[in-house]
Amino acid sequence: MPVQTGRQFPYLEFRRRHVQETPAPVVWPWETLAGELAEAEHSEYGTLTLAGPDGGHEIVPGTSMTFQSVRPGERTTPHAHSWWHLYFVRSGSGVLVLDETDESTELSDGDVLLIPAWWAHHFENRGTEGDLLLLNMSNLPQQAALHNKFSREGIRVGRTTAEGAAAVPPLSPHPQVSGV
């Protein structure tokens, strides 16, 4: 593609172009969410993403909110990515493992945790009853809009190359759900 010549316009016009209507408040009743969560397919990347009345997945600009459920005896794949997570433990208990340092912390109802971008992590539900239900706010839509949606999966503690340096899986676009 050849290099193109840009244009310019007055700053006050720039400001006028970004005037937006104030959005209306939105509520997602727990009774409805709980029913849909019970019926939904649970993938390790998420179960149910909140959407606005218009169907858009950005709850506030650049962010999304997704429920993630980890079933008893299951765990997610260790991974790291270019977006952050702010998790709220809605119910259940489990363990957050920070894979590069092998640190772990117990999680229970009401806990809130921040996982900055590129921190390798996974969740485990070591129990025998009840899902670990997490509500995840992230800036994945912002990173996708910036063409900066990358992840590494399968990160393992202690995995090294022949030279002794830590082996890091290559960057890849975030996994796509088949059929989407």
Side-chain angles (χ1 to χ4, degrees):
M1 171 186 283
V3 174
Q4 300 178 13
T5 301
R7 298 180 353 179
Q8 56 280 337
F9 53 90
Y11 178 74
L12 292 177
E13 173 62 21
F14 167 75
R15 294 290 301 262
R16 282 190 286 278
R17 290 182 185 190
H18 292 281
V19 172
Q20 298 177 6
E21 290 184 32
T22 303
V26 179
V27 65
W28 293 267
W30 177 246
E31 185 176 326
T32 303
L33 289 170
E36 289 186 30
L37 283 166
E39 299 298 319
E41 179 183 344
H42 297 281
S43 82
E44 69 177 271
Y45 301 110
T47 301
L48 194 65
T49 299
L50 299 182
D54 65 353
H57 67 277
E58 290 188 43
I59 302 306
V60 295
T63 64
S64 62
M65 293 190 76
T66 298
F67 281 97
Q68 182 174 1
S69 185
V70 183
R71 303 281 177 143
E74 293 186 359
R75 60 183 280 169
T76 62
T77 301
H79 63 285
H81 39 67
S82 58
W83 57 95
W84 51 258
H85 290 293
L86 181 61
Y87 281 102
F88 304 87
V89 179
R90 174 66 175 90
S91 62
S93 62
V95 176
L96 163 68
V97 178
L98 300 172
D99 293 284
E100 291 176 36
T101 62
D102 202 25
E103 294 175 75
S104 63
T105 188
E106 299 285 328
L107 302 172
S108 60
D109 291 359
D111 287 348
V112 178
L113 57 138
L114 172 67
I115 301 176
W118 293 117
W119 271 86
H121 62 282
H122 75 273
F123 293 99
E124 298 177 1
N125 183 343
R126 297 175 181 170
T128 58
E129 293 183 20
D131 293 354
L132 168 61
L133 183 59
L134 305 161
L135 179 56
N136 164 25
M137 176 185 245
S138 79
N139 68 329
L140 191 151
Q142 175 192 48
Q143 296 300 69
L146 295 170
H147 304 285
N148 190 34
K149 189 177 79 164
F150 295 98
S151 65
R152 288 188 172 112
E153 295 207 13
I155 296 170
R156 290 186 208 105
V157 175
R159 189 172 64 164
T160 60
T161 64
E163 294 80 32
V168 178
L171 284 174
S172 64
H174 192 258
Q176 299 295 315
V177 177
S178 62
V180 176

